[in-house]
Amino acid sequence: MRSKTSCFNGALLRSGMKRFWPLWAGYLLIWILVMPLPLLRGLRYPGISAMEFREWVLNLARFGGEIMGAIFAVFSAMAGWSFLYAGRRASGMACLPVRREGQFFSALLAGFLPLAAGNLIVSLLTLPVCLAGGFSPAVLGEFFCISVLMLLFFYGFATLCAQLTGNILILPVVYGILNFVAVAVDFLLHLVLGYFVYGMYRDGMVSDLACYLSPAVGMIARLDVDSIYGQTPQGEYVVRQVVFRGWDLLLIYAAVGILCIMAALLLFRRRKMESAGDVVAVDFLRPVFRWCMALGCGLCLACLMQAILYWSQNAASSFSTLLVFFLLGAFIGL
């Protein structure tokens, strides 16, 4: 018999999708409650225009797609990769006659496909509402693309985070921290420097680079739904066009999500299954994790104590006090 190498296992895919069906059902139910039903109710109000309907759907894709994608991506990763966090299940998976690539892509698709299918089902359920109002259904295609691209990034990023730890409770913590770490570090550094550098204000602003490196913040700040107005012959201004701004950024984030999946595959191929239960599952990242924890705890404690001791902006700040609390926080983080 001719042998072949498979990077996919249908039995593992079906098992993963069946075991966690309440999660996929909850995702679909929430989308139904926030999109087709409110849009159907909105048709009762006279005078709703095609541009208002389009703006409504695109804003749902922009905000709802990010919130739902960010939250359910990590839940889906916790479900799909749950076998990595229990010693017996990890050992049992390692004994299966399935290559690591087959296990990886089966678990990956078992978590991603139901969520993407949920977005498709919601778009199809909204189609009759769109046709009943006489609106163009093209906006539903845009909704599906926006929500799936967001989901692709967040799920790919959550998959990478899942390979970094052996504890299922640490996974959402790592996922949440890495989504906001650039903005947090940039804000804390500006806050500290604002006490001692002349001309630097503690205004709470963060740099554009920090926003881009914090995807959850970057999408909120850089994606937009823009209404273009035009003037009628009677001199009235009406909305002529509603466009989604940020396709290039969204495609970049989706590409980063694919890169995260590729990096996760490399880690999974060399992962030690006996690392189940460990906070950090990758050996060479353990010292990096410790020093990052030390830096983060040091900055947080220093800024907190500096704000408590020198609350007034006119009060003289002490660098020595800041340094002491920074070293104390770094020691606690280690």
Side-chain angles (χ1 to χ4, degrees):
M1 181 180 292
R2 184 179 181 181
S3 63
K4 63 178 181 179
T5 301
S6 176
C7 292
F8 176 77
N9 187 277
L12 292 179
L13 172 64
R14 291 189 295 271
S15 175
M17 296 177 64
K18 289 179 181 178
R19 290 185 59 212
F20 304 104
W21 68 266
L23 180 62
W24 327 133
Y27 178 80
L28 177 60
L29 178 62
I30 294 175
W31 264 124
I32 292 175
L33 293 177
V34 300
M35 187 169 172
L37 293 182
L39 291 175
L40 180 61
R41 187 172 60 250
L43 294 180
R44 299 178 181 178
Y45 298 96
I48 181 172
S49 64
M51 292 297 103
E52 291 174 335
F53 182 86
R54 178 179 172 82
E55 183 179 13
W56 195 349
V57 173
L58 290 180
N59 277 315
L60 279 175
R62 177 195 172 194
F63 295 107
E66 178 176 357
I67 295 173
M68 293 284 288
I71 294 175
F72 277 87
V74 66
F75 286 160
S76 184
M78 292 171 68
W81 301 104
S82 58
F83 65 91
L84 295 177
Y85 310 123
R88 291 185 177 180
R89 291 193 60 196
S91 300
M93 185 67 70
C95 295
L96 292 177
V98 182
R99 299 177 71 243
R100 284 290 181 98
E101 290 81 0
Q103 298 177 12
F104 179 85
F105 286 108
S106 300
L108 179 75
L109 294 177
F112 178 77
L113 289 181
L115 298 181
N119 292 333
L120 179 60
I121 293 173
V122 169
S123 301
L124 295 177
L125 291 177
T126 312
L127 181 59
V129 181
C130 185
L131 297 177
F135 308 130
S136 172
V139 67
L140 299 180
E142 294 183 56
F143 165 83
F144 177 75
C145 292
I146 293 170
S147 58
V148 169
L149 288 175
M150 289 180 175
L151 183 62
L152 179 59
F153 166 76
F154 284 116
Y155 186 73
F157 188 65
T159 298
L160 177 60
C161 294
Q163 309 306 318
L164 301 179
T165 181
N167 191 310
I168 194 171
L169 298 179
I170 299 298
L171 169 56
V173 176
V174 173
Y175 174 81
I177 290 176
L178 293 182
N179 259 301
F180 297 95
V181 64
V183 167
V185 171
D186 185 82
F187 173 78
L188 292 176
L189 287 177
H190 278 82
L191 187 64
V192 171
L193 294 176
Y195 284 107
F196 306 104
V197 178
Y198 179 78
M200 181 170 288
Y201 297 97
R202 291 165 285 165
D203 53 4
M205 298 296 293
V206 295
S207 64
D208 290 338
L209 179 60
C211 286
Y212 289 127
L213 294 179
S214 296
V217 178
M219 289 186 185
I220 287 290
R222 302 300 179 229
L223 302 181
D224 194 18
V225 177
D226 190 14
S227 299
I228 301 175
Y229 288 84
Q231 191 173 12
T232 64
Q234 292 77 19
E236 299 179 355
Y237 287 92
V238 295
V239 178
R240 294 294 189 186
Q241 192 177 5
V242 176
V243 295
F244 176 78
R245 307 288 187 185
W247 282 108
D248 51 349
L249 179 62
L250 205 54
L251 290 173
I252 291 174
Y253 276 132
V256 172
I258 296 175
L259 293 178
C260 289
I261 292 175
M262 296 172 61
L265 174 60
L266 296 178
L267 292 176
F268 182 75
R269 292 176 63 182
R270 299 183 177 274
R271 183 187 179 98
K272 299 177 181 178
M273 289 302 187
E274 57 269 20
S275 64
D278 296 344
V279 174
V280 183
V282 184
D283 292 337
F284 69 88
L285 289 180
R286 289 178 180 174
V288 177
F289 177 81
R290 291 187 60 187
W291 287 108
C292 289
M293 281 291 297
L295 177 62
C297 291
L299 281 175
C300 290
L301 184 61
C303 292
L304 177 63
M305 297 308 298
Q306 193 77 7
I308 293 175
L309 298 177
Y310 305 99
W311 183 260
S312 173
Q313 293 189 5
N314 297 324
S317 302
S318 171
F319 180 78
S320 58
T321 304
L322 179 72
L323 182 61
V324 168
F325 285 115
F326 177 83
L327 294 176
L328 178 61
F331 177 77
I332 295 173
L334 285 174

